Amino acid sequence: MKKITIAIDGHSSTGKSTLAKQLAKALNYIYIDTGAMYRAVTLFAMQQGFISSDSFDADQLVANLNHVFLSFKFNEGLGFAEIYLNDENVEDKIRSIEVSNFVSKIAEVSAIRTKLVQQQKKYGIDKGVVMDGRDIGTVVFPDAELKIFMTASAEIRAERRFLEMQEKSTDITFDEVLKNVEERDKIDSTREDSPLIVAENAVMIDNSNLSKDQQFNMILDLAHKAINVV
């Protein structure tokens, strides 16, 4: 069966990663979470003291990018690949609100985007890949056979994120999460390098009122149609 590339872009907390994992599993494709890559670089920057609530030394971070080694290792128990930063599993650490607060600033830096996009393009050489992020259909895989753009209202996305973080006993308020969602939307959509926009030929999915099953079945159907196009 012909394999294709599936690019999933969209706003933060729209469930892109969850959907992409489901889709990759159903199609027996490779799943790559590009957001996790930017989050891992953000975690590195925090650990090294390059970014904090009152400062960001982008030049120092760029100068130390050769010390950042990212990899994905499949976890059979979870059914998806987890991200490693310098051989350490950081899948849980990168999901904190602290990382969320800084990741859009990190993603604005052109040198970082260049490094990560080069790595992302290599993952898709043989197709059979589902990749989600902010610029997959516009920059990483502009020729992807299926492009999806996911969105939902900021309030609904914040509520989903808030409930998810509560399950992990994170001490955070809904207002903090909503503020983070709105700030990330603004930064992602207005940055000079690869801003978040709807890719040409992308299918727009507003999942504000869709269940996960409804959304998954809708996009799986789109994937099957794209695969069967001669």
Side-chain angles (χ1 to χ4, degrees):
M1 183 180 293
K2 182 184 72 174
K3 288 189 175 183
I4 65 172
T5 297
I6 301 175
I8 302 177
D9 292 309
H11 293 104
S12 65
S13 302
T14 48
K16 297 186 299 297
S17 296
T18 298
L19 170 70
K21 290 172 188 173
Q22 289 179 304
L23 206 55
K25 185 175 182 179
L27 298 172
N28 196 28
Y29 276 20
I30 296 170
Y31 163 64
I32 300 295
D33 180 356
T34 65
M37 298 172 74
Y38 286 99
R39 283 175 172 270
V41 175
T42 302
L43 180 63
F44 174 82
M46 292 167 61
Q47 292 173 338
Q48 301 301 315
F50 299 145
I51 192 167
S52 65
S53 58
D54 55 9
S55 67
F56 177 28
D57 193 335
D59 291 338
Q60 270 295 95
L61 175 55
V62 170
N64 282 272
L65 282 180
N66 61 327
H67 297 300
V68 176
F69 298 97
L70 305 179
S71 60
F72 288 92
K73 298 180 183 179
F74 189 76
N75 184 319
E76 292 187 1
L78 295 175
F80 63 88
E82 297 177 295
I83 192 163
Y84 283 69
L85 168 63
N86 296 334
D87 293 325
E88 177 191 357
N89 186 328
V90 293
E91 188 68 32
D92 289 334
K93 289 183 179 180
I94 64 170
R95 307 299 173 182
S96 71
I97 190 65
E98 291 80 14
V99 170
S100 295
N101 284 337
F102 296 139
V103 66
S104 290
K105 292 182 180 179
I106 296 293
E108 282 187 293
V109 181
S110 293
I112 295 172
R113 299 200 69 83
T114 297
K115 175 184 175 72
L116 296 189
V117 166
Q118 288 175 345
Q119 189 169 345
Q120 291 157 12
K121 285 179 177 290
K122 291 178 181 178
Y123 288 131
I125 290 176
D126 297 322
K127 295 189 177 291
V129 64
V130 181
M131 190 173 290
D132 73 295
R134 298 291 192 281
D135 61 352
I136 311 307
T138 54
V139 176
V140 183
F141 298 127
D143 296 324
E145 290 85 351
L146 177 61
K147 302 176 187 178
I148 303 293
F149 188 95
M150 294 172 61
T151 189
S153 72
E155 290 76 14
I156 286 177
R157 288 184 283 132
E159 180 67 22
R160 292 170 181 167
R161 180 69 172 150
F162 177 62
L163 293 174
E164 179 184 286
M165 298 186 82
Q166 275 194 321
E167 291 177 358
K168 298 179 180 179
S169 301
T170 303
D171 184 18
I172 191 170
T173 67
F174 172 78
D175 287 342
E176 286 178 296
V177 178
L178 178 58
K179 180 181 178 182
N180 172 256
V181 166
E182 292 174 336
E183 287 181 347
R184 290 183 66 189
D185 283 353
K186 182 178 180 180
I187 294 173
D188 291 343
S189 300
T190 59
R191 67 182 178 225
E192 292 185 11
D193 190 346
S194 306
L196 174 64
I197 58 175
V198 181
E200 184 179 358
N201 302 323
V203 179
M204 175 83 81
I205 304 290
D206 186 328
N207 64 17
S208 297
N209 299 305
L210 292 178
S211 70
K212 289 182 179 180
D213 286 343
Q214 288 174 322
Q215 175 180 263
F216 171 68
N217 290 329
M218 180 190 302
I219 297 177
L220 181 61
D221 183 57
L222 290 172
H224 282 145
K225 288 178 179 177
I227 290 169
N228 291 324
V229 169
V230 177

